[in-house]
Amino acid sequence: MIGCGYLGTSHAVGMAQLGHDVIALDIDEDKIAALSACELPFYEPGLGELLRKNVESGRLRFTTSYDEIAGADVHFVCVGTPQLAGSFNADLRWVESAFAELARRLTEPAVIVGRSTVPVGTARRMADLVRGHTGRVEVAWNPEFLREGRAVEDTLQPARLVFGVESPQAERLLRAVYRPIIEDGCPVVVGDYATAELVKVSANAFLATKISFINAIAQICEATGADVLRIAEALGHDVRIGRDFLGPGLGFGGGCLPKDIRALYACAADLGLADVATLIRQIDVVNTSRRERAFAVGRELLGGSYAEKRVCVLGAAFKPNTDDVRDSPALAVAVAAHEAGARVVVHDPVAMESARRVHPEIEYADTVLMAARDADVIMLLTEWTDFADIDPVQLSGVVRCRNMLDGRNALTPERWRSAGWTYRA
Ligand code: UGA
């Protein structure tokens, strides 16, 4: 396994759990030291226990040396492909260096399986690169679909497996690697490299489209008085539509959906598909506008200005059940309020350390009540389940003004309004 981020670590643990002998590599020595000591460098429910179990059984170990992994039969490349600074494209430097480092060392027949999310055409380039070094190594692409916060479940019981292969041998090998999962009934879709690459980006783009679609409808609801939650509920009963990812609110963030939608836009634009590029671009534009809208509603609740006001922000992670704050909608709104002159205090059940690292200029509080002290407005921006249980009567005792902006439609409005709060969502 090359790359020990969310994806690589979850996959390494998952493969060891299936009974394989796994060695996982990362160039970050601190990360490898932590993982070798059975400590997860990030928050992920259930993964820590499985990490310990598999390290202790001897099936899983970690290294920083490519030489140590050269003897494996299968190499999974799970490195990050973040958005390239100043561009909509993905930064492929880690993928390229992983394939190059491996190709230089492999002398025995092996398969290198890309799992990173990449623009279409990357697998072909990597196959050519590897072939330049050795004729005995094949490349396959096997995109991942795991969600942060549900990594264990998504790794061991995925909704589907997708193999992009150029030979029956590569397909056979991947089927052997995933045998227990396939025997459990997991569907397998086999195609060429480009198809496998595009399945992944299309999946994320479709999820992003659902979110931006319901948020577009939410804007029409705001203007007309209709209830977007009822609309989502009614749409969701249609099995062709489905209720998942129709949660209106602050929109999507994280390390995947935003950068994948932008990379797909860049791909469509490069291909000269102007209409397609426009469609995909608007998904991102609608999404970003939700952050601006939340900021504006907050300002209305504050009587027109953030200056000198005290703002309590509940949630820093880009979604619940993770400590990941990459492109977090919650933090974006918190930072905007801070820059508009408010004193912002953030509370998050697990993401405060990661938030503090990127935004030390904001204040952080260990409890909801501490964060809410003397607040002029409370903004609930990440829907941790704990927040749904907050007692509006108790909170009334610590805030300066009873203003609630529920950026995730996570609360029961009547409960807050009947306790004297001005509630906006
Ligand atoms: C996403 C995909 O769901 C995974 O299938 C994929 O493997 C992964 O990206 C990846 O490319 O690695 P993830 O980024 O963990 O997973 O997060 P999601 O659960 O998809 O949520 C993304 C964002 O959408 C979050 O900010 C969430 O708050 C937001 N969201 C989700 C909504 O605003 N409304 C919804 O109804 C659902």
Side-chain angles (χ1 to χ4, degrees), residues 313-394:
V313 169
L314 299 181
F318 83 94
K319 66 173 188 177
N321 300 318
T322 178
D323 63 352
D324 192 345
V325 297
R326 285 177 295 170
D327 204 344
S328 162
L331 271 188
V333 175
V335 168
H338 169 79
E339 286 172 354
R343 182 169 166 204
V344 179
V345 187
V346 176
H347 171 73
D348 187 286
V350 304
M352 289 214 290
E353 275 320 303
S354 27
R356 204 193 309 264
R357 271 198 295 277
V358 275
H359 288 294
E361 73 276 21
I362 297 175
E363 285 179 50
Y364 296 89
D366 287 338
T367 65
V368 171
L369 286 182
M370 284 161 76
R373 189 158 306 286
D374 296 330
D376 295 296
V377 65
I378 311 272
M379 296 184 173
L380 191 164
L381 303 180
T382 312
E383 69 279 29
W384 287 92
T385 45
D386 295 0
F387 294 159
D389 301 330
I390 296 171
D391 178 1
V393 176
Q394 190 191 14

Side-chain angles (χ1 to χ4, degrees), residues 215 218-219 221-223 249-250 288-306 309-313 333-334 336-337 340 376-381 401-409 417 422-425:
N215 279 331
Q219 292 180 47
C221 288
E222 275 191 70
L250 251 192
T288 309
S289 78
R290 302 316 288 161
R291 302 174 187 196
E292 290 154 14
R293 180 72 188 131
F295 176 82
V297 174
R299 191 174 45 210
E300 283 169 27
L301 284 169
L302 290 170
S305 170
Y306 279 94
K309 295 288 172 31
R310 193 155 167 152
V311 174
C312 162
V313 169
V333 175
D376 295 296
V377 65
I378 311 272
M379 296 184 173
L380 191 164
L381 303 180
C401 302
R402 283 176 287 180
N403 287 319
M404 170 57 80
L405 167 58
D406 179 0
R408 294 290 182 181
N409 290 294
R417 289 194 176 119
T422 303
Y423 173 94
R424 298 277 303 270

Side-chain angles (χ1 to χ4, degrees), residues 2-4 22 25 29 42 55 83 86 105 154 161 188 217 245 257 321 323 330 338 367 418:
I2 295 129
C4 292
V22 180
L25 172 144
E29 291 185 1
F42 50 84
V55 168
Q83 189 178 339
R105 289 175 173 83
D154 284 350
L161 288 164
V188 180
I217 299 298
F245 278 72
L257 262 49
N321 300 318
D323 63 352
H338 169 79
T367 65
S418 63

Side-chain angles (χ1 to χ4, degrees), residues 114-189:
R115 269 181 83 67
S116 308
T117 303
V118 291
V120 59
T122 308
R124 161 74 37 235
R125 275 203 303 116
M126 293 305 110
D128 292 345
L129 180 152
V130 169
R131 203 171 299 118
H133 285 271
T134 163
R136 314 179 70 188
V137 175
E138 261 205 73
V139 167
W141 220 266
N142 166 223
E144 58 83 22
F145 300 95
L146 69 85
R147 288 161 289 184
E148 289 178 22
R150 297 174 77 159
V152 171
E153 184 186 335
D154 284 350
T155 303
L156 293 174
Q157 291 129 31
R160 77 298 216 182
L161 288 164
V162 176
F163 302 157
V165 289
E166 287 214 316
S167 76
Q169 299 89 286
E171 182 184 338
R172 261 202 304 277
L173 183 126
L174 280 168
R175 284 186 182 274
V177 167
Y178 289 111
R179 193 169 46 84
I181 292 176
I182 297 170
E183 282 176 358
D184 257 5
C186 177
V188 180
V189 180

Side-chain angles (χ1 to χ4, degrees), residues 87-111:
S87 153
F88 283 144
N89 288 297
D91 185 348
L92 294 176
R93 82 179 79 168
W94 310 114
V95 172
E96 285 159 1
S97 86
F99 274 85
E101 291 286 347
L102 275 173
R104 292 201 286 120
R105 289 175 173 83
L106 301 186
T107 50
E108 297 301 315
V111 178

